[in-house]
Amino acid sequence: MIFIERVSHISDYEETKMAEAKRIIDVAREKGVILKLIGGLAVRNHCVITYFCEREYLDIDFVGLANQSNKITYLFEELGYMENKNVWLATAGNQKQFHKENPEDHVDVFLDVLKMDHVIDFKGRLNIEDYTISVSDLLLSKLQIFQINEKDVRDILTIVKDLPLGKEDKKGVINVKYVAEVCSKDWGLYHDVVMNINKCIKLIHYYNLTPEEVEKIKSKISEIKEAIEKAPKTLRWKLRAKIGERKAWRRTVEGQA
């Protein structure tokens, strides 16, 4: 399975998406509304060398606060967007979706938490970066995906390649201590995060990276894995670990088996 060449450019369409995402965040900030990018555009925002992280970005994804739900709706309406209220109803108020002329070209806003294969809580953590969720949460949001795809692998490798490791929340720094602590409370999350770290280590050689880049990524991602393994685990984690895969350890995401 051979993936992937370096991507050397980004289209005007993707550039427009990034510009629009930042415009929305800037207007929101002026109005006291908190919105931060998540997903592929958030990863690209932190790229040091963009040739590796460039890829197709299908839509704009944000995280906001549930207690600002109405303000978020008013904000997007002022910006010329319409809300798809079916998404709000289908997700029990966990997610909002907005669009302009084309409903397929939409903006998603997750409120407080990301509920995918696992649940990641962002409350109290949306003030670390200017335009994105913290890079630590961004890494977790990618590593938690059970059916990880090539774009997710590329995003994970990009984050680890371009950003330093640390032990506290700072702009542009992966807080290894935080990542390990989150995984130490949830065995299911731990299971899939470690599984995906191992996958990334195996797949890194299929990318057109220099030997120095490969060793740099392998060293840093191995350090993250070691911190996760060594972090003290909660009693709940230990009890769940005894059951293992005999019981479902993740949520079933629409479109997945």
Side-chain angles (χ1 to χ4, degrees):
M1 181 171 82
I2 296 183
F3 286 142
I4 325 302
E5 294 297 323
R6 298 173 187 259
V7 181
S8 60
H9 69 280
I10 185 169
S11 71
D12 291 342
Y13 178 69
E14 274 83 31
E15 286 285 11
T16 300
K17 278 188 176 294
M18 178 64 85
E20 176 67 357
K22 289 190 172 183
R23 182 180 78 94
I24 292 170
I25 292 172
D26 287 338
V27 173
R29 188 181 293 116
E30 292 174 0
K31 296 180 177 295
V33 177
I34 297 175
L35 287 176
K36 296 297 171 71
L37 269 172
I38 190 173
L41 282 176
V43 174
R44 183 178 182 275
N45 185 70
H46 291 284
C47 279
V48 174
I49 303 173
T50 57
Y51 64 69
F52 182 74
C53 68
E54 300 294 24
R55 62 174 179 78
E56 183 181 9
Y57 304 102
L58 298 179
D59 45 42
I60 302 173
D61 295 328
F62 292 112
V63 174
L65 298 175
N67 63 11
Q68 292 190 326
S69 175
N70 289 336
K71 291 182 179 180
I72 290 170
T73 297
Y74 297 147
L75 168 72
F76 276 95
E77 288 176 347
E78 289 180 6
L79 292 171
Y81 287 81
M82 296 175 285
E83 182 175 4
N84 180 353
K85 294 185 177 180
N86 291 330
V87 173
W88 168 255
L89 295 172
T91 61
N94 178 246
Q95 182 179 342
K96 285 177 171 286
Q97 187 177 98
F98 303 91
H99 63 88
K100 288 188 175 179
E101 294 83 3
N102 180 9
E104 297 299 319
D105 188 13
H106 58 261
V107 174
D108 286 310
V109 182
F110 300 93
L111 300 176
D112 286 349
V113 298
L114 177 68
K115 291 184 178 180
M116 295 185 68
D117 295 287
H118 303 279
V119 178
I120 300 177
D121 192 339
F122 299 111
K123 293 192 297 293
R125 295 190 54 79
L126 296 181
N127 61 347
I128 298 170
E129 298 285 348
D130 293 329
Y131 286 101
T132 73
I133 60 173
S134 80
V135 293
S136 313
D137 289 303
L138 187 56
L139 180 61
L140 271 175
S141 73
K142 292 293 180 176
L143 286 171
Q144 63 86 36
I145 301 171
F146 179 69
Q147 293 185 346
I148 198 167
N149 63 31
E150 190 278 319
K151 290 189 292 186
D152 300 318
V153 173
R154 182 185 289 274
D155 284 344
I156 292 166
L157 297 180
T158 296
I159 295 168
V160 176
K161 177 173 71 71
D162 287 352
L163 299 173
L165 306 184
K167 294 184 179 180
E168 57 184 327
D169 289 321
K170 290 183 178 180
K171 289 182 180 180
V173 176
I174 301 169
N175 184 346
V176 178
K177 181 180 178 182
Y178 165 75
V179 172
E181 286 177 349
V182 173
C183 291
S184 71
K185 299 174 184 176
D186 183 337
W187 179 84
L189 177 63
Y190 157 89
H191 176 282
D192 287 350
V193 166
V194 170
M195 175 185 67
N196 284 327
I197 285 176
N198 291 336
K199 284 182 180 179
C200 287
I201 291 173
K202 290 180 180 179
L203 295 173
I204 189 173
H205 297 286
Y206 291 101
Y207 289 82
N208 188 18
L209 293 164
T210 68
E212 292 77 16
E213 288 173 326
V214 169
E215 288 307 311
K216 177 182 178 181
I217 296 172
K218 287 176 67 175
S219 175
K220 290 168 71 177
I221 203 167
S222 295
E223 184 176 338
I224 295 169
K225 179 183 176 182
E226 182 179 7
I228 292 171
E229 297 286 11
K230 289 185 175 180
K233 307 300 189 291
T234 63
L235 176 61
R236 180 180 179 182
W237 187 100
K238 293 176 181 177
L239 293 173
R240 182 62 186 82
K242 291 181 179 180
I243 301 172
E245 294 185 359
R246 289 175 289 166
K247 179 181 177 182
W249 67 94
R250 62 183 178 88
R251 301 174 70 250
T252 300
V253 179
E254 183 179 351
Q256 292 187 1

